[in-house]
Amino acid sequence: MNQDPYTLKGKTILITGASSGIGRATAVACSAGGAACCVLVGRRRDALEETASMLADGCRPVIAVQDLSDTENLDSMVASLPEIDGLVLNAGTNKMKPLQFYSGGDIENIFGINCFSPVLLLKQLVKKKKLARGASVVFMSSISGHGNVSVGNGIYGASKSALTTFMEYAALELAPKSIRCNSVHPGRVETPLIMNGVTDEEAVKADKEKYPLKRYGRPEEVAHAVVYLLSDAAAWVTGSSLVIDGGRSLV
């Protein structure tokens, strides 16, 4: 009998932004899917330890406290890693601003975390031969970088659009190594990044009405799609963008 193609049994998965939200949910889902080891990357040790405590029995956590924008220390972190079977480039940030109020710092910070850091991390992992043959790379993008345009979200959307385009180039260049690259494009998900208490509750309620399914997503719903792309069930999927948005892109 063939092994379940959706299992992550025996795989080592690295997740950036694993401290909360989609990153935490992805780590938990990977462990539930049979991953042997989850490498949890983030800036806060206490939050990463909390994520580690939520992993399923049998999944070994490895905590890597790292500010991915600190490229000088990236080499040493990569050098310390085990061989990786799955890579989830999830760390991200946002700052809503109309374009006339953009600053160079805003652009540098959002592009740095959302686009440049994952690109450089992937580069180092490939250069140091840390990605196993047949590995899967999942880029966490957004419908904001996939045609869903809204006022005040230009820098974020542009950074995610750039990340998605890079994913396609990476998929082409890494295919000879049997390394697959895909992106996931969630709509609004109930995470600390979105549900931060700053947006008026009535505005959130009205925004949810724009979704055909009349709600925002849950972190685990995105995580399940990531697990699929990491698994052998997606062995012939590369260079693809998977939209998970409750139908928001339809309207």
Side-chain angles (χ1 to χ4, degrees):
M1 185 174 179
N2 292 333
Q3 178 177 289
D4 177 6
Y6 295 92
T7 186
L8 299 181
K9 184 177 180 180
K11 294 182 183 291
T12 295
I13 311 295
L14 187 153
I15 305 107
T16 69
S19 301
S20 64
I22 293 172
R24 172 174 286 174
T26 297
V28 172
C30 287
S31 70
C37 175
C38 281
V39 181
L40 310 174
V41 181
R43 289 181 287 187
R44 292 176 46 209
R45 178 173 292 278
D46 60 335
L48 293 175
E49 289 177 346
E50 185 176 349
T51 300
S53 72
M54 300 168 70
L55 300 184
D57 292 342
C59 181
R60 179 173 65 92
V62 173
I63 291 176
V65 180
Q66 175 70 36
D67 181 349
L68 295 175
S69 64
D70 182 4
T71 54
E72 290 184 6
N73 290 322
L74 197 58
D75 286 2
S76 59
M77 186 200 80
V78 170
S80 69
L81 294 174
E83 187 176 63
I84 303 298
D85 302 295
L87 172 64
V88 185
L89 296 165
N90 167 74
T93 191
N94 192 15
K95 189 173 186 179
M96 301 283 286
K97 255 186 188 181
L99 65 88
Q100 63 266 39
F101 298 114
Y102 291 176
S103 71
D106 294 330
I107 296 170
E108 183 177 351
N109 179 56
I110 294 173
F111 266 84
I113 295 173
N114 292 353
C115 185
F116 302 152
S117 291
V119 168
L120 291 172
L121 175 57
L122 178 59
K123 170 215 164 185
Q124 286 302 107
L125 288 168
V126 172
K127 186 175 179 180
K128 300 294 184 183
K129 298 182 179 179
K130 290 291 184 175
L131 289 180
R133 187 170 184 83
S136 172
V137 181
V138 180
F139 294 79
M140 192 59 63
S141 189
S142 168
I143 60 171
S144 296
H146 198 70
N148 189 271
V149 179
S150 59
V151 173
N153 213 25
I155 304 175
Y156 177 80
S159 70
K160 291 297 189 177
S161 180
L163 184 67
T164 303
T165 300
F166 173 77
M167 175 277 293
E168 295 175 349
Y169 283 91
L172 187 62
E173 291 192 29
L174 296 179
K177 301 178 185 293
S178 296
I179 296 173
R180 298 180 293 108
C181 298
N182 296 284
S183 59
V184 170
H185 299 255
R188 285 185 174 252
V189 176
E190 293 181 346
T191 69
L193 183 63
I194 298 297
M195 311 304 288
N196 53 22
V198 175
T199 306
D200 180 80
E201 286 187 17
E202 288 300 314
V204 170
K205 184 177 179 180
D207 189 53
K208 287 181 180 179
E209 287 298 311
K210 297 177 183 177
Y211 285 72
L213 293 183
K214 304 304 180 186
R215 67 176 177 86
Y216 289 162
R218 293 185 287 270
E220 61 270 22
E221 292 172 323
V222 179
H224 294 156
V226 173
V227 170
Y228 159 69
L229 290 172
L230 292 172
S231 76
D232 292 343
W236 209 45
V237 181
T238 195
S240 294
S241 298
L242 178 56
V243 175
I244 310 172
D245 69 351
R248 181 66 181 87
S249 297
L250 298 173
V251 296

